[in-house]
Amino acid sequence: MIRDLLFLAGAGLLAGAINAIAGGGTLVSFPALLALGYPSIPASVTNAVSLWPGYLGGMIGYRAELRGQRRRATVLSLTTAIGAVAGSALLLLTPGRLFDSLVPWLVAFASLALLAQPWLRKRFGGEPEGEPSRLIYLGVFLGGCYGAYFNGGMGVLLLAVLGLFLHDNLHRVNAIRAALSLVISTVSVVAFSLFGPVRWEAVAVIAPASLVGGLLGTRLARMMSPSVLRGVVVVFGLGVAAVLALR
């Protein structure tokens, strides 16, 4: 029992640090829950609830960049919240066997999205322009659906969508991404807490560990190369996807 608790605490700590440095912490905490024998859907909803503190910390960290973007953040958050409600409902209604068959592909997709993160950041930076296309609302709605259904790679996907339509300073775009990630996570926490098979004993261990990991990750980010950590997480994630596909 103590060994399992330490294992979950370590996974939460590492997941929080990875999210702070490069993103992709779900690819550590979710497989950790699976490794301890949690079924896939309880593991997914438990993971979503456990990592909420990290998203709150991310938005707080970008509070300076969010200044002057209240209207933009509010409108996009409402659209994203609707998508998150749909994604949460879809997960809760998905039969366990179907979700089991989708998990390897979702993990692989999140891993490849994380691999493409530097390209996405570089590709979608830009200078301020006029009002964005209305397609942005469709994009963040779908991002909300995906993020609530399966958390892995959510931030990278949101950054890609926002960067495509918001030709603004990348830090300001990333601040909006952090706010929308928190919205999706909050909707998921409420929905899964009320209706999902959350394993609260795991949340009690992972959540505080992920918060500590997030705080430490901001310091580690100044000391190590994000590309190195990103590569390790991608290889790990693709390996997990392969094992799950063969299971």
Side-chain angles (χ1 to χ4, degrees):
M1 176 63 71
I2 295 180
R3 183 178 62 180
D4 291 348
L5 293 177
L6 291 175
F7 180 69
L8 285 178
L13 186 72
L14 186 58
I18 291 172
N19 277 334
I21 297 172
T26 290
L27 298 178
V28 173
S29 51
F30 177 66
L33 289 166
L34 294 179
L36 291 182
Y38 288 89
S40 57
I41 290 183
S44 184
V45 299
T46 298
N47 180 70
V49 173
S50 299
L51 296 184
W52 181 85
Y55 292 114
L56 176 62
M59 194 188 77
I60 292 174
Y62 271 113
R63 60 187 180 278
E65 287 78 8
L66 283 169
R67 291 180 187 135
Q69 299 196 84
R70 178 176 296 180
R71 180 180 178 277
R72 174 190 284 180
T74 300
V75 174
L76 292 177
S77 292
L78 291 174
T79 306
T80 305
I82 296 173
V85 170
S88 299
L90 183 61
L91 175 61
L92 294 174
L93 295 174
T94 298
R97 288 187 176 181
L98 175 59
F99 187 73
D100 285 342
S101 66
L102 291 175
V103 163
W105 298 102
L106 293 172
V107 173
F109 177 72
S111 301
L112 293 175
L114 182 61
L115 179 64
Q117 187 184 58
W119 179 84
L120 292 174
R121 287 181 181 274
K122 184 177 180 180
R123 169 64 179 83
F124 295 124
E127 296 298 327
E129 291 183 2
E131 288 296 316
S133 166
R134 293 185 179 182
L135 288 176
I136 191 174
Y137 299 107
L138 175 61
V140 297
F141 172 82
L142 294 176
C145 288
Y146 174 84
Y149 188 81
F150 186 71
N151 185 265
M154 172 180 69
V156 179
L157 296 178
L158 286 174
L159 183 62
V161 171
L162 293 172
L164 182 63
F165 296 108
L166 300 180
H167 300 285
D168 202 342
N169 178 275
L170 184 56
H171 292 295
R172 285 167 53 84
V173 173
N174 212 18
I176 296 293
R177 187 274 309 162
L180 298 187
S181 294
L182 178 62
V183 168
I184 296 171
S185 181
T186 302
V187 171
S188 299
V189 167
V190 173
F192 298 155
S193 297
L194 293 176
F195 307 109
V198 178
R199 303 298 174 87
W200 292 103
E201 72 281 2
V203 173
V205 177
I206 298 175
S210 69
L211 178 59
V212 173
L215 296 175
L216 293 176
T218 57
R219 297 186 178 184
L220 291 174
R222 301 183 181 94
M223 301 167 54
M224 65 183 298
S225 169
S227 61
V228 173
L229 182 59
R230 183 182 296 109
V232 172
V233 175
V234 168
V235 172
F236 175 78
L238 292 177
V240 169
V243 171
L244 292 174
L246 296 173
R247 188 177 63 174

